[in-house]
Amino acid sequence: MSLELKQQVAAEALRYVENDMILGVGTGSTVNCFIDALGNSGRVLEGAVSSSDESTKRLKALGIPVLDANSAGPLSLYIDGADEIDPHLRLIKGGGGALTREKIIAEASERFICIADASKQVDVLGRFPLPVEVIPMARSLVARAMVKLGGQPLWREDCVTDNGNWILDVHNLDIIDPIKMEHDINQIPGVVTVGLFARRPADVALIAGRNGIEVVNAE
Ligand code: 5RP
């Protein structure tokens, strides 16, 4: 996704942001463009709840207050990117390693707007390796369970999450029933979060393409 497309979709997302709101803010290069646009927009937020140390740093550098999720209460809006988006706006997320905090904010938010480009749209999720955040002690156990599900787990060895955990990227899964797979993987001891956002999908996707921004609602 080119920087220009990221900036275009970030600018479009700004239209949903109102003064004085507490905004959920995701993680990644598309969200970085959104944070930059927010900083230049003149909008004055009560604050943001951030899904990663990286986004927190960027928000604070622009003078946007970052609030603790525990004191912010329910959020009206969450803006975040995705690695894959299906026609029901179910997502794979976690390419940037922030899946657990992203899932917490998505769950806490009344409206989740996903910002991406058309290359992230798929009919069936699973082409992008599915991130699973695990407690370090459970890495091998969870990897064996992923093999039983038909996947090929790879340990993201250069990554320790903001929560002090590790990530397995699971390749070659056919995610025919994302809600069931999300539930089943979350039951494995040692799994902190799977990067499937199916039980709580996005509500709207803003998709940047050659012909501008498409506003996609779930099928
Ligand atoms: C981070 C994420 C990101 O939203 C996802 O990886 C997309 O990132 P980018 O906008 O850089 O393509 O889930 O954990």
Side-chain angles (χ1 to χ4, degrees):
M1 181 174 181
S2 73
L3 181 63
E4 200 186 333
L5 287 183
K6 288 177 196 185
Q7 287 169 336
Q8 281 172 18
V9 78
E12 186 67 22
L14 260 188
R15 292 156 54 102
Y16 295 81
V17 177
E18 292 167 13
N19 282 335
D20 300 323
M21 69 177 4
I22 302 180
L23 178 67
V25 177
T27 296
S29 56
T30 315
V31 166
N32 285 346
C33 291
F34 170 73
I35 295 173
D36 292 345
L38 185 60
N40 292 324
S41 67
R43 301 275 201 302
V44 181
L45 300 180
E46 183 177 338
V49 173
S50 165
S51 67
S52 64
D53 294 349
E54 186 195 333
S55 291
T56 296
K57 205 160 49 167
R58 216 172 177 100
L59 287 159
K60 285 185 172 169
L62 291 167
I64 299 168
V66 176
L67 308 181
D68 177 1
N70 290 307
S71 43
L75 306 175
S76 49
L77 181 63
Y78 176 43
I79 309 270
D80 198 0
D83 299 301
E84 272 188 0
I85 307 171
D86 85 358
H88 303 282
L89 304 188
R90 301 176 296 198
L91 313 170
I92 288 183
K93 292 184 47 54
L99 58 162
T100 298
R101 296 185 189 191
E102 291 173 339
K103 201 172 268 197
I104 293 167
I105 300 178
E107 187 71 24
S109 299
E110 196 179 314
R111 197 166 194 213
F112 174 8
I113 297 183
C114 181
I115 52 176
D117 77 351
S119 70
K120 307 270 180 87
Q121 290 178 299
V122 294
D123 288 330
V124 177
L125 298 170
R127 192 177 59 200
F128 190 91
L130 179 65
V132 183
E133 180 167 352
V134 297
I135 288 173
M137 178 191 173
R139 175 176 60 84
S140 294
L141 173 87
V142 176
R144 289 193 294 274
M146 292 301 104
V147 170
K148 279 192 192 149
L149 284 177
Q152 291 167 319
L154 268 187
W155 177 21
R156 204 185 291 180
E157 290 192 54
D158 57 349
C159 174
V160 176
T161 70
D162 290 349
N163 312 306
N165 296 315
W166 291 349
I167 290 186
L168 294 171
D169 292 306
V170 188
H171 295 248
N172 300 325
L173 283 172
D174 275 333
I175 308 180
I176 306 299
D177 186 345
I179 293 181
K180 183 174 185 318
M181 187 169 282
E182 180 177 5
H183 176 269
D184 290 352
I185 294 177
N186 276 333
Q187 298 311 307
I188 301 165
V191 167
V192 179
T193 319
V194 58
L196 265 175
F197 287 55
R199 200 182 63 80
R200 200 281 179 251
D203 298 302
V204 177
L206 304 179
I207 303 292
R210 284 182 203 285
N211 301 319
I213 307 291
E214 190 190 355
V215 180
V216 180
N217 293 291
E219 276 182 6

